[in-house]
Structure formats: structure tokens, C-alpha cells
Amino acid sequence: MIENNNGAAAAFHSHVFLGEGHEKSERKTWAVIWLCGIMMVAEIIGGLLFGSIALVADGLHMSTHAGALLLAALAYTYARKHANNPAFTFGTGKLGDLAGFTSAIVLAMIALLIGYESVSRIFAPVPIHFAEAIPIACLGLAVNVASAWLLSSGGHHHHGHGHAHEGHDHDESHEIATAAGTVLLEVFEDGVPPRFRLRAATGPVLMAQASSIETLRPDGTRQLFAMQDKGGFLESCDEIPEPHAFTAVMRIGEQNYPVVFEEHEHAQGSTARDNNMRAAVIHVMADAAVSVFVIVGLLLARAFGWLWMDPLAGIIGACVIASWSYGLIRDTGTILLDMNPDKGMANKLREAVEAEGDTLADLHLWRLGPGHLGAIISVITRHAREAEYYRARLARFRSLSHLTIEVSHRS
């Protein structure tokens, strides 16, 4: 039997797999395009008015820069507008990866052109107008630094709730009403080994000797945690072992207060990365890196007469751009080919399914968009279990945005 998503509700399941902060990234990319466009027009007009062909050339170069960013902006806009279009079987989340792949190809071509021109100038040097070239390179660097700042500002997003630890997200603090007042219980692990923390929200301050916590895990394992006074809050003496999925029975005085803690797995690293924004940032960073190398090369060439420093700087810049381009092509290419994006997640899915004696016969795991994974799972079982049973077991994998389960029964 094959069931999709949430049983009867599957027909209404959303196929919007856009990354977190999609619209904000879209706005930032358009803002950088406007910045580059204004600089392009100013440089071309200024070059024509003052007779500087170098300034005109840099303005034309800025137009190619804006064009590359335009690809990213259009991908954001198109993906957003067509996110609910049923023609896209698995949504438009991969449009950013397609745009990133295309941008990487353009970057590779730029690296080849810069490398070719630089090598040519080593064998056939050309006169350098230092008075114009150096200020223009500095202006280009300033524009690229501003662009990189606009694109990367506010780029960090916190996923889930609570304190993240090695790809896990835990529940927020639990507020518990007790006879001594309301208390807050949480698993605290912000830069420290995970421990229980208990603090008073209302009522008198709790005493360490009056409180303890015992965890009961799904396999029946129990562990008692003594609490110590840390001045303003209580903290467990012992660390909490992984996984952090259990019922915590808090004891205050003669009363017990059970609290359920759940642990959720989220996509991490490259699985959650927005490759469209990454490509846009790499474009401006590559341009900024070339500007730095050019400035250094020009300064050394003017100071010591080393004209070969200018093409050498170009070769170094071309190598840096080629390296970034290769990484972007590799990462986006694997996504476009639906390769397994997270082997660690695949192993955890297998462990979760086979934990009670069932067999995971087949598993397909692929990326639908930034932070969104799709999975098709085939299970062989000897028990009277249906798809919803396994769906409940896999509910902690929050990045599984589209899940299809096939269950085969064997006697």
C-alpha cells in the first residue's frame, strides 16, 4: 500500500519548497542590481564626459556584473510567483540551484577569459595608465564590498526553536505550574554540555535539595538527575545523553510533574544552503578579489616597475574564481541530478525505521529546495503496521517536507 504525506489530507499538501527568507533574499538581490546599475551609468557617462576609456570599460564590466545578479533575482521572482503552479511536480525550490549552476558556468568562463588575457599580457606587455587604473580598481572594490554587505546582511536564520546542537532542535522552555509557583524547565546546551535548567517564573526560589528530575526514555531506560543551585536557577549535576527525546519527571517536594521533550532533526550544511544567494555572493566576492589583486599588482608595478605584476595578479584572481566556480558547479550539479544530499540523514532514517525489527527495503532521498527534503521509503514488516505508523516515527525529521511510504507485509 502506498500513502502520500498525511493520508487523506495528502491531496491538499503544499508543494511550496522555497527557502527560509526567500522574499528577503529576492529584495536584497534587486537592491544590489540597482546599485550596480547606478554605478554602471555613472562610470560610462563620466568616462565619456572626461575622455576616460578605462572608466567606460569598467562601466561596461559593471553591466556584466549586474547581468549575472539579474539571473539570481529573476530566479527568486519566478520561483515565488510559480510556487503553487501544479505544473511543477515538486515545486520551484530547485530554480535557485539551476540559477546557481548557470552562474557557476558564467564564472568559469570569466576565469578563463581573465586567465587568457593575463597570460597574453605576460608575453606582450601593454602600457598601464596608473593614474586612472588604480582609482577605478578602488571604486570597483568599494562597490563590490557594498554589494557583498547588502547580500549577506541578515543572512543568518535560526531554524526551529530552543537550542540547536549538532543538527537537533529541541522544544522551547516548558512552563509548569506547581504548588510552589510557575517554573521553566529546559535543556540548555548553548556552547556547553547539555544539562537541565530550572528557574522560577513566579513564586519562591526553588532549593536544589528540594528538586530532582528523572528521565524515562521510549525503551524504558531511566536516569535520575540531581539539581544544584547556580544562583538564580537550578542546573542538573550530570550531562544529558543524546538523544534528547524522553519524558522528564520533575519532582518538587512530594509532587511529580511529567514533561515531554521531543527532538527534531533538521537539514544542515549544504542541504539547507541557498545556492542562488551563494552564487550571487560569489559573483561579488570574485569581483572584489580580482579588484584587490589588481590594486596590489598596479601599486607594485608603479613603485618598482614590475609590469609583470599586473598580469600575475590577473592569473591569481582567475585561479580563485575558478576554484569557487568548481565548488558551486559540484554542489548545484548534485542537487539537479537528485543525488543523496545528506548521507547522515539517510542513515538516521534507516535506523528509525529498522529500530523495531522492520526492514528498509528501499530509500530515495533528494533535495526539493533549501532546507526541504523529499523521501520515498519502502518498508518490509511482519507486524500489522501501516504507513501512518512509520510516518509518526519519522515525524522528528522536520526537513522531510514530502514523504511517501510504501509498506509490504510479510508473514
Side-chain angles (χ1 to χ4, degrees):
M1 179 179 69
I2 300 177
E3 294 187 19
N4 294 308
N5 304 294
N6 294 313
F12 307 102
H13 179 69
S14 171
H15 284 184
V16 178
F17 304 125
L18 304 181
E20 183 179 359
H22 182 94
E23 293 187 13
K24 184 177 180 180
S25 297
E26 179 184 347
R27 291 193 299 269
K28 290 191 296 185
T29 307
W30 281 112
V32 173
I33 290 173
W34 277 106
L35 173 62
C36 293
I38 292 172
M39 290 303 303
M40 174 191 71
V41 173
E43 286 185 329
I44 292 176
I45 293 177
L48 293 175
L49 289 177
F50 301 112
S52 172
I53 188 63
L55 199 57
V56 173
D58 194 65
L60 294 176
H61 165 72
M62 191 65 70
S63 70
T64 63
H65 184 54
L69 292 171
L70 181 63
L71 178 63
L74 291 176
Y76 277 125
T77 302
Y78 188 88
R80 174 177 53 81
K81 290 184 176 180
H82 293 268
N84 292 298
N85 188 338
F88 294 94
T89 304
F90 288 106
T92 56
K94 281 188 179 180
L95 275 171
D97 300 300
L98 180 60
F101 182 84
T102 306
S103 291
I105 298 297
V106 173
L107 277 172
M109 295 174 62
I110 291 174
L112 288 174
L113 289 173
I114 293 176
Y116 173 79
E117 183 67 20
S118 299
V119 172
S120 299
R121 291 196 177 194
I122 289 179
F123 296 101
V126 298
I128 301 175
H129 301 282
F130 295 105
E132 292 181 347
I134 293 176
I136 291 173
C138 291
L139 177 63
L141 176 60
V143 172
N144 286 309
V145 170
S147 299
W149 179 80
L150 283 172
L151 290 174
S152 60
S153 61
H156 175 73
H157 301 287
H158 179 68
H159 299 274
H161 305 285
H163 305 282
H165 178 66
E166 295 184 355
H168 309 299
D169 276 349
H170 306 282
D171 291 341
E172 294 179 338
S173 299
H174 291 271
E175 187 173 285
I176 308 164
T178 73
T182 302
V183 297
L184 297 176
L185 178 64
E186 65 176 339
V187 174
F188 185 84
E189 49 182 335
D190 189 2
V192 297
R195 285 181 168 86
F196 285 112
R197 279 196 177 180
L198 181 65
R199 67 182 73 247
T202 62
V205 177
L206 301 173
M207 300 301 293
Q209 61 269 25
S211 303
S212 65
I213 296 175
E214 185 179 23
T215 58
L216 174 61
R217 297 181 179 274
D219 61 0
T221 303
R222 294 175 177 270
Q223 183 177 358
L224 185 64
F225 294 84
M227 307 296 287
Q228 54 185 336
D229 194 345
K230 287 293 186 177
F233 63 89
L234 305 181
E235 185 176 89
S236 60
C237 300
D238 299 323
E239 299 178 15
I240 307 172
E242 297 280 359
H244 298 166
F246 44 69
T247 297
V249 181
M250 181 181 64
R251 185 173 181 83
I252 300 178
E254 299 299 323
Q255 297 294 320
N256 291 332
Y257 303 91
V259 181
V260 177
F261 281 85
E262 296 180 348
E263 187 173 71
H264 309 300
E265 302 280 353
H266 284 267
Q268 297 294 308
S270 60
T271 305
R273 180 184 295 154
D274 183 349
N275 284 313
N276 195 22
M277 178 56 68
R278 179 187 173 196
V281 172
I282 285 179
H283 265 287
V284 297
M285 288 180 60
D287 219 19
V290 171
S291 296
V292 170
F293 291 133
V294 167
I295 291 170
V296 172
L298 289 172
L299 290 174
L300 291 174
R302 185 177 67 175
F304 302 103
W306 299 342
L307 297 182
W308 49 269
M309 279 298 302
D310 182 57
L312 178 61
I315 292 173
I316 295 174
C319 291
V320 171
I321 295 174
S323 174
W324 290 343
S325 172
Y326 170 76
L328 193 55
I329 290 174
R330 178 195 59 210
D331 294 343
T332 55
T334 58
I335 293 171
L336 295 175
L337 291 174
D338 288 332
M339 294 179 66
N340 186 337
D342 192 335
K343 293 182 179 179
M345 176 74 78
N347 291 333
K348 291 177 181 178
L349 287 171
R350 180 177 296 277
E351 292 172 0
V353 170
E354 297 183 343
E356 297 184 2
D358 298 320
T359 301
L360 182 62
D362 196 14
L363 169 64
H364 299 274
L365 186 68
W366 71 100
R367 187 175 119 143
L368 301 166
H372 297 278
L373 296 176
I376 299 175
I377 295 176
S378 179
V379 184
I380 298 177
T381 180
R382 298 179 182 275
H383 306 282
R385 297 168 177 167
E386 303 300 337
E388 288 307 314
Y389 172 83
Y390 300 99
R391 195 175 308 283
R393 291 191 62 84
L394 302 179
R396 66 187 177 96
F397 296 94
R398 293 297 180 89
S399 56
L400 286 182
S401 302
H402 194 285
L403 178 61
T404 301
I405 301 175
E406 178 185 17
V407 181
S408 298
H409 296 91
R410 297 287 187 269
S411 57

